[in-house]
Amino acid sequence: MQLQTLRYAIDDTAAGAVATITFDQQDSPVNTMCRQWQDDLVAVTEQVVKDKDRLKGLILASAKKTFFAGADLKGVMRNTAADAASVFAEIERIKKCFRTLETLGLPVVTCINGSALGGGMETALVGHHRIAVDDAKLQLGLPELTLGLIPGGTGITKFTRLLGLMAAQPYIMESKLFGPREALEIGVVHELVASADELRPRALAWIAEHPQAQHPWDAKGYKLPGGTPASPKIAGALVVAPAMLKLKTRGRYPAPEAALAAMVEGAQVDYDTASRIESRYLASLMTGPVAKNMINTFFFNLNAIKSGQSRPQGVPRSKVQKVGVLGAGMMGAGIAWAQASRGIATVLKDVSLEKAEHGKAYSAKLTQKRVDKGRMSALEQQALLGRITPTANAADLKGCELIIEAVFENRELKAQVTKEAEPMLAGGGFFASNTSTLPITGLAQASRDARKFIGIHFFSPVDKMKLVEIIRGQQTDDETVARAYDYVLALGKLPIVVNDSRGFYTSRTFGTFVMEGAAMLGEGIPAAVIENAAVQAGLPVGPLAVLDETALSLSVHVLDQTRADFAAEGKAYEATPGELLVERMVKQLGRPGRAGGGGFYDYPQGAKKRLWPELRTLFEKPGVAWDVQEIQDRLLYRQAVETARCLAEDVLTSVHDANIGSIFGIGFPAWTGGAAQFVYAQGVEAFSRRCAELAERHGNGFRLADDAVATLRRLQPQY
């Protein structure tokens, strides 16, 4: 047989003739369910059926380091709604092969030598007996929901029947991954071996001991573990499950709803019908827009970031051992934690030892929570805290390979600490600013070597936010960008690389979102309508709540600094309606934000926050007309337009940086795939037309220039 993605062989063993299907996709580091694999699977299944009478068993194995990687996601990206019927047929074709192999009456053993995720896990489940290498790095699971899909290659049907509706829920609905030990505990794996060399001998032994084998659900008298949907306990939970799910997804993510439906519906029918139900839901998702958006970003774009596509090429990899942090406030303390938790010696400097020690106490607080929960030992806590040296003495920074300033957003203060600390750098060291808005090229004027000066913009809270924005100044060299990239990856975070401009990418685009919300309030639209429309669109919180958290006073400080910078250049800065409203809130109404006692919201002691009642009197106009879709479009399109402008101006140099930056940095809805994918999902022309409509009604913030349209077309991903 001429097969390109797998091998088929029959060997005479002590148990008799045993066939082995070895997955080995040519010219690929992993096995995937590509079209060729599907054709090969059909061919080899037909051959097994022909050889059935002479066989005593069947082994499924892999020639790759991983067992099986799963679906061919590039193929999914090419699907359209018109392909639903053919995609359904394709899914059923694969599952027919699975079902044929597992119901031949032959014992089937799966040898899991490496990770098996998604379609790989489902392929492994064909085996009646599943043996895995006992390696903590080996990952198993069904992560399809994270990509807008469901485990539709028998994953839902089999996990539900193996574990029961309630016990299967974390693995299906929450995409919980697990290692070999947990797999053994829950029955997804039946046996562990110390090394891959032991897999085949154990498989042959099991075949010899079990000449007859079948899955539990194919045995007479099988009952669903935990009960069916009709069981009182499960029925009670299912009554509220859809409402709870809708509250979480806001109706923007069809995959979780499809997964829940496939689980419950499948639990009420026979195996083959359940499998077909699962296939229909999967085909619908595979040809819908949300899965493509999420696959594009959470698979292809994330892999682009992790593989260093935005990192300057030709620069050797580097690793810093000692890093200084200037400023022990919330941001500096968070950076110190991020470094120390990854084994990096950290010098945390502030104006006084007391302040520096207070910053270190933040790491003590975070580690204590882990110790209390049994996730960290007291010795590990001591070691981590021992890596943070609080100080008020600049001399203690001596020998740092990187120093990051995280002081207040004031150009003079940043210049002062830069000049004080830079001489302490080790030979070849580099300096970074954690500024969120001030142009790096301007800040680099205080540096003794602008080539070694860069922006490394963390997001608050640092211990939870994955994104880090690396900003290249006009004189920053490639080596410094590459070293900053390596440093961010070493922290376990996601780096995007942008070129210098006011606000860079994330702060600039984030500003358009919150100020559009403030502008709508100024137009008379009720604050509650704006906030709820934003959340229903899939944004984490509304723009007014975000402004409160980040501090209205900070936005006003940035506005004042921007006006001063423009004035220094002999220009006048024209503030937007949103900026003027926020300025009024702070300067006239004394509402600086949450930290200052209140902003758009009140924060009563021991009670939930609530919108400031005076907003109705001050801003709402009872007769003003509003439309929820229009509000949502204004909030999303305004950010997408700014993203397009950043691409056109070369602030952003790649679509993957735009998508990852917008989702992980500023909370752009994940169902869209990010601000750039939001454009491509609609089509550049349709997006441009809608922008023109919004610009006509709501101003030039929505105006999409020809160069931005041309850039969007040029950078559109092809699959």
Side-chain angles (χ1 to χ4, degrees):
M1 295 175 71
Q2 292 297 313
L3 304 171
Q4 297 177 37
T5 64
L6 51 83
R7 300 195 304 272
Y8 179 69
I10 297 176
D11 298 296
D12 289 320
T13 72
V18 174
T20 303
I21 299 173
T22 305
F23 302 113
D24 189 13
Q25 187 171 332
Q26 295 175 19
D27 303 319
S28 174
V30 295
N31 297 306
T32 65
M33 291 176 164
C34 62
R35 189 55 189 252
Q36 184 60 53
W37 178 83
Q38 295 170 36
D39 292 342
D40 288 352
L41 180 66
V42 170
V44 83
T45 301
E46 290 172 351
Q47 189 60 48
V48 173
V49 172
K50 290 176 184 176
D51 296 334
K52 174 192 168 186
D53 292 341
R54 58 180 287 219
L55 296 176
K56 297 299 182 183
L58 175 65
I59 294 173
L60 305 180
S62 170
K64 307 295 185 185
K65 289 182 179 179
T66 57
F67 175 73
F68 207 104
D72 173 22
L73 295 177
K74 283 190 177 181
V76 178
M77 293 301 295
R78 293 190 289 268
N79 290 336
T80 68
D83 297 319
S86 61
V87 169
F88 172 75
E90 191 175 278
I91 298 165
E92 285 288 282
R93 181 180 182 229
I94 295 170
K95 290 163 85 168
K96 183 181 179 183
C97 293
F98 286 176
R99 194 67 176 141
T100 299
L101 294 174
E102 62 196 31
T103 57
L104 279 175
L106 296 172
V108 182
V109 181
T110 304
C111 295
I112 306 173
N113 63 309
S115 294
L117 299 172
M121 183 76 256
E122 292 168 314
T123 302
L125 289 171
V126 172
H128 304 117
H129 189 71
R130 298 173 290 277
I131 311 171
V133 176
D134 188 8
D135 179 356
K137 294 179 182 177
L138 190 153
Q139 280 195 314
L140 305 170
L142 303 167
E144 283 91 338
L145 262 70
T146 62
L147 298 177
L149 299 170
I150 63 168
T154 72
I156 288 178
T157 304
K158 285 180 176 171
F159 261 65
T160 301
R161 278 162 170 72
L162 272 174
L163 308 179
L165 276 165
M166 303 306 287
Q169 185 267 335
Y171 302 100
I172 296 172
M173 300 298 296
E174 298 169 22
S175 296
K176 181 186 177 185
L177 302 184
F178 50 97
R181 294 290 176 93
E182 184 174 347
L184 185 65
E185 287 173 16
I186 63 176
V188 170
V189 160
H190 303 99
E191 189 178 345
L192 300 181
V193 293
S195 70
D197 292 339
E198 298 175 50
L199 286 168
R200 185 172 177 83
R202 283 302 310 142
L204 291 171
W206 192 87
I207 288 170
E209 294 161 8
H210 300 82
Q212 300 283 319
Q214 62 182 173
H215 285 304
W217 48 86
D218 290 324
K220 189 176 180 181
Y222 164 81
K223 289 185 178 179
L224 192 71
T228 69
S231 306
K233 186 178 178 181
I234 293 177
L238 291 178
V239 168
V240 297
M244 296 293 291
L245 191 59
K246 186 73 79 172
L247 184 67
K248 187 177 179 181
T249 67
R250 305 291 176 181
R252 297 289 181 173
Y253 300 86
E257 295 177 17
L260 179 62
M263 288 178 73
V264 176
E265 293 169 21
Q268 301 176 76
V269 295
D270 63 273
Y271 176 89
D272 292 324
T273 304
S275 178
R276 197 157 53 250
I277 288 170
E278 181 192 85
S279 298
R280 288 201 175 103
Y281 280 117
L282 178 58
S284 174
L285 294 169
M286 285 178 68
T287 53
V290 174
K292 284 190 280 189
N293 291 343
M294 295 180 71
I295 290 168
N296 175 78
T297 300
F298 295 108
F299 185 79
F300 292 110
N301 288 177
L302 261 183
N303 284 342
I305 296 283
K306 292 175 180 177
S307 64
Q309 285 189 25
S310 294
R311 182 188 187 274
Q313 303 302 304
V315 180
R317 298 281 171 183
S318 65
K319 186 176 182 181
V320 294
Q321 304 293 333
K322 182 181 179 182
V323 178
V325 180
L326 310 180
M330 190 67 181
M331 188 61 74
I335 297 170
W337 152 261
Q339 295 176 170
S341 63
R342 289 286 175 151
I344 298 172
T346 299
V347 180
L348 183 59
K349 182 188 177 299
D350 212 309
V351 293
S352 71
L353 182 59
E354 182 184 10
K355 287 190 174 182
E357 287 177 336
H358 185 265
K360 179 176 178 176
Y362 180 71
S363 289
K365 179 182 174 184
L366 290 177
T367 52
Q368 191 58 47
K369 288 180 181 177
R370 286 163 169 76
V371 172
D372 293 344
K373 292 178 180 178
R375 292 166 52 195
M376 175 182 274
S377 70
L379 280 175
E380 288 170 330
Q381 179 188 35
Q382 290 171 17
L384 188 152
L385 295 175
R387 288 191 279 271
I388 302 175
T389 303
T391 185
N393 188 352
D396 289 334
L397 296 164
K398 194 167 184 63
C400 286
E401 298 138 286
L402 164 63
I403 296 175
I404 304 171
E405 66 83 0
V407 300
F408 189 63
E409 289 287 274
N410 178 281
R411 186 172 279 105
E412 289 71 30
L413 176 61
K414 288 181 181 292
Q416 178 188 328
V417 300
T418 300
K419 289 174 181 175
E420 178 188 35
E422 262 192 337
M424 300 297 112
L425 278 170
F430 64 110
F431 194 94
S433 172
N434 179 57
T435 181
S436 59
T437 57
L438 301 175
I440 291 301
T441 303
L443 295 178
Q445 291 174 5
S447 172
R448 60 183 182 178
D449 187 353
R451 296 172 303 168
K452 303 301 176 188
F453 191 99
I454 195 166
I456 301 181
H457 174 208
F458 288 85
F459 293 76
S460 185
V462 177
D463 58 291
K464 293 179 181 174
M465 297 294 280
K466 293 283 286 183
L467 191 79
V468 177
E469 187 176 31
I470 296 172
I471 306 104
R472 180 199 285 266
Q474 288 179 9
Q475 293 175 270
T476 309
D477 62 22
D478 280 355
E479 181 187 17
T480 302
V481 175
R483 292 180 71 189
Y485 202 98
D486 296 340
Y487 160 73
V488 173
L489 284 179
L491 296 182
K493 296 189 179 292
L494 298 171
I496 63 168
V497 179
V498 304
N499 287 318
D500 199 16
S501 79
R502 185 175 299 279
F504 323 125
Y505 169 56
T506 54
S507 295
R508 173 175 163 178
T509 307
F510 169 79
T512 65
F513 158 57
V514 294
M515 292 309 167
E516 193 63 29
M520 286 190 271
L521 180 64
E523 293 165 15
I525 299 174
V529 170
I530 298 166
E531 297 291 85
N532 284 318
V535 172
Q536 292 298 329
L539 290 154
V541 287
L544 306 181
V546 175
L547 273 166
D548 264 18
E549 294 294 336
T550 56
L552 281 72
S553 53
L554 176 60
S555 296
V556 172
H557 171 75
V558 171
L559 176 61
D560 289 340
Q561 184 72 63
T562 303
R563 283 173 173 151
D565 290 348
F566 270 64
E569 297 172 14
K571 305 173 188 174
Y573 177 72
E574 186 178 344
T576 66
E579 288 173 325
L580 293 173
L581 184 139
V582 171
E583 185 175 42
R584 181 185 170 195
M585 284 284 290
V586 174
K587 293 182 177 178
Q588 293 180 24
L589 302 172
R591 306 285 295 185
R594 180 170 189 166
F600 291 110
Y601 286 80
D602 278 332
Y603 300 90
Q605 188 89 20
K608 272 188 166 184
K609 71 179 182 183
R610 55 175 179 251
L611 284 163
W612 185 37
E614 291 300 311
L615 294 178
R616 293 180 182 172
T617 308
L618 291 164
F619 301 113
E620 285 187 23
K621 297 171 186 172
V624 71
W626 51 264
D627 175 78
V628 171
Q629 186 62 55
E630 185 92 349
I631 292 169
Q632 293 174 338
D633 280 0
R634 288 177 69 174
L635 295 174
L636 298 182
Y637 274 77
R638 185 64 190 85
Q639 296 178 74
V641 168
E642 204 63 29
T643 297
R645 290 173 179 169
C646 286
L647 286 165
E649 295 168 21
D650 207 34
V651 174
L652 281 166
T653 59
S654 76
V655 166
H656 63 255
D657 282 334
N659 287 329
I660 296 299
S662 61
I663 289 178
F664 288 91
I666 56 179
F668 203 81
W671 64 267
T672 67
Q677 182 60 23
F678 179 70
V679 177
Y680 293 129
Q682 300 169 65
V684 175
E685 282 68 31
F687 178 78
S688 301
R689 286 195 299 272
R690 181 61 174 148
C691 285
E693 293 171 3
L694 292 169
E696 193 68 32
R697 290 196 289 275
H698 307 295
N700 287 333
F702 296 95
R703 194 79 59 195
L704 197 61
D706 290 344
D707 63 335
V709 174
T711 302
L712 287 169
R713 288 194 186 114
R714 177 172 57 82
L715 295 177
Q716 181 157 3
Q718 301 297 321
Y719 292 100

